[in-house]
Amino acid sequence: MKTSITENVKRLLEELPEHVLLVAAAKSRTADEIDEAIEAGIRLIGENYVQEALAVIQAVKNKAEWHFIGHLQKNKVKYVVPNFDMIESVDSVPLAREIDKRCNKLGKRMPVLVEINSGREPQKFGFLPEEAENGIREIATLENIKILGLMTMGPRTGDPEAARPYFVETRRLFDKIGKLDIPNVEMRYLSMGMTNSYRIAVQEGANIVRIGTLIFGRRGKPI
Ligand SMILES: *Cc1c(COP(=O)(O)O)cnc(C)c1O
């Protein structure tokens, strides 16, 4: 059966518990595809690539909120800060400092999630679980940033069940940091789970899921 973006979005919104926010991960999608997702009820769009995002944001800007979800290079922060509503992928203290600096210039306070490298993969970005508390304490001192939670990818494997231990560990960290009562830190959002793993992520406490393929079809292969 052929499915459409509209049907995919409606099915997901029906399936997800009410407390879970759905971010449509829109890398490499056109403004028309994103527009269709918004018409179907998507309120949050996730983008990984700055250049690509800026073009699309021009076209559909005010109809949704924009979350930056990819690795952000410091020299691109100046484009992201004015155009995005949340940065989910703060993966280092120097990046946070640059965001703070750019926000200061605009008089903006940026909600962020701190990215955890829960799989401890050397090629991936993010704080190791054991480094997260110190990193968060440092970022929390920046006045133009508000830490609102954690994000993790987890290792990509074919088997969704294999992601569970990484989600469990990130959830534990989320609870632990929440109890520390660090000023300027609120553990409100836990962003984890993608097309193949979102059900497990929700079982393990995610309240933001980032889904691309299940909404838009396989990349490079329009549905
Ligand atoms: C692409 C991407 C997703 C969505 O992946 P799908 O498997 O297509 O659902 C989620 N999060 C991030 C950070 C991504 O880059």
Side-chain angles (χ1 to χ4, degrees), residues 25 27 48 69 151 153 156 194-195 210-213 219:
K27 57 177 170 276
N48 298 60
I69 63 174
M151 182 273 242
M153 300 270 289
R156 268 209 193 250
M194 312 192 289
T195 289
R210 309 174 311 270
I211 297 183
T213 311
R219 278 182 286 286

Side-chain angles (χ1 to χ4, degrees), residues 129-141:
E130 59 273 19
E131 293 171 343
E133 184 185 328
N134 282 343
I136 285 171
R137 285 188 188 280
E138 237 182 300
I139 296 169
T141 64

